[in-house]
Amino acid sequence: MAASAQSNTSILPDYKVAFLKSCLSANVLTFGTYTLKSGRQSPYFFNAGSFHTSALLSAISTAYANTIVSFLASHPSVPKPDVIFGPAYKGIPLACCTLLELNRLDAATWSSVSYSFNRKEAKDHGEGGGIVGAGLKGKNVLVIDDVITAGTAMRETIRLVAKEGGRVVGFTVALDRMEKMPGPREKEDGVDDGEPRMSAMGQIRDEFGVPTASIVTLDDLIAVLRSKGDGGDLERLEDYRGRYHASD
């Protein structure tokens, strides 16, 4: 049994396992019953705002940086970004600390890359505008965010970057929930119609042609819980995945 449990996580890179263990130990990932924006009842919740200590910031920036390096290596057609962009508000510290870690890993590649983020309300004095940090005009932009559920914020960011004259070349999130978008009936009365649908990230890839990556997925989380022998939470997550798994 122990050997089988170990094999579930042995295929995951060390940084993924370390990231998930940090999330679990610091209650960044919690289990219970949570109502999502869609109205769906989820057995788990991820709160990137809980990465507020230096140790946890180090853990998440290391994981993001390794994910970005792996993403670019596996997508040779994606240009190296000129800017790491963090949408306000949670994306702001994520973009900054990730760029620092990328520079630590490979200064020759990343020392000239900038960070940028948006203001929720445009500033009408001083330097003005709605962007803080590097300008986006003519730049290849890699966006960092925490979790994508409905994809609304992701679409807004793509349009914002385009309005500023930049081009989003990729999206990186901490957790891919891998769940399908809710159908019309589910939005009205909370009942899933059982029809296959794409995830929000899948829709973004299909709609805008923007490749996406995540530090971890729901499958990764289930693998780590299985290795820990966490039966109750594991069973609930597997049931949830079976019901809402996306078609992409």
Side-chain angles (χ1 to χ4, degrees), residues 163-186:
K163 181 181 177 181
E164 294 290 330
R167 179 170 73 105
V168 174
V169 297
F171 244 102
T172 305
V173 299
L175 174 65
D176 180 359
R177 295 180 61 94
M178 302 178 69
E179 63 185 77
K180 66 181 181 179
M181 295 292 289
R185 185 180 175 188
E186 188 175 355

Side-chain angles (χ1 to χ4, degrees), residues 184-195:
R185 185 180 175 188
E186 188 175 355
K187 292 177 181 177
E188 291 176 2
D189 55 22
V191 178
D192 175 43
D193 58 15
E195 294 296 321

Side-chain angles (χ1 to χ4, degrees), residues 113-196:
V113 176
S114 302
Y115 76 86
S116 184
F117 60 89
N118 61 300
R119 293 186 173 98
K120 286 287 188 179
E121 296 181 3
K123 188 176 179 182
D124 60 4
H125 59 281
E127 76 279 12
I131 300 296
V132 179
L136 305 180
K137 187 174 182 179
K139 301 294 180 62
N140 292 317
V141 179
L142 179 69
V143 180
I144 288 183
D145 214 341
D146 55 350
V147 179
I148 303 302
T149 49
T152 304
M154 191 182 282
R155 287 178 172 85
E156 290 174 351
T157 299
I158 290 173
R159 294 183 181 115
L160 170 66
V161 171
K163 181 181 177 181
E164 294 290 330
R167 179 170 73 105
V168 174
V169 297
F171 244 102
T172 305
V173 299
L175 174 65
D176 180 359
R177 295 180 61 94
M178 302 178 69
E179 63 185 77
K180 66 181 181 179
M181 295 292 289
R185 185 180 175 188
E186 188 175 355
K187 292 177 181 177
E188 291 176 2
D189 55 22
V191 178
D192 175 43
D193 58 15
E195 294 296 321

Side-chain angles (χ1 to χ4, degrees), residues 30-47:
T30 54
F31 304 99
T33 301
Y34 304 94
T35 302
L36 305 180
K37 288 181 180 179
S38 64
R40 191 173 288 167
Q41 299 292 301
S42 172
Y44 72 105
F45 186 72
F46 177 84
N47 180 17

Side-chain angles (χ1 to χ4, degrees), residues 94-135:
L94 299 179
C96 296
C97 67
T98 298
L99 184 55
L100 282 172
E101 179 62 17
L102 285 166
N103 185 71
R104 189 192 68 80
L105 290 175
D106 183 0
T109 299
W110 295 97
S111 62
S112 62
V113 176
S114 302
Y115 76 86
S116 184
F117 60 89
N118 61 300
R119 293 186 173 98
K120 286 287 188 179
E121 296 181 3
K123 188 176 179 182
D124 60 4
H125 59 281
E127 76 279 12
I131 300 296
V132 179

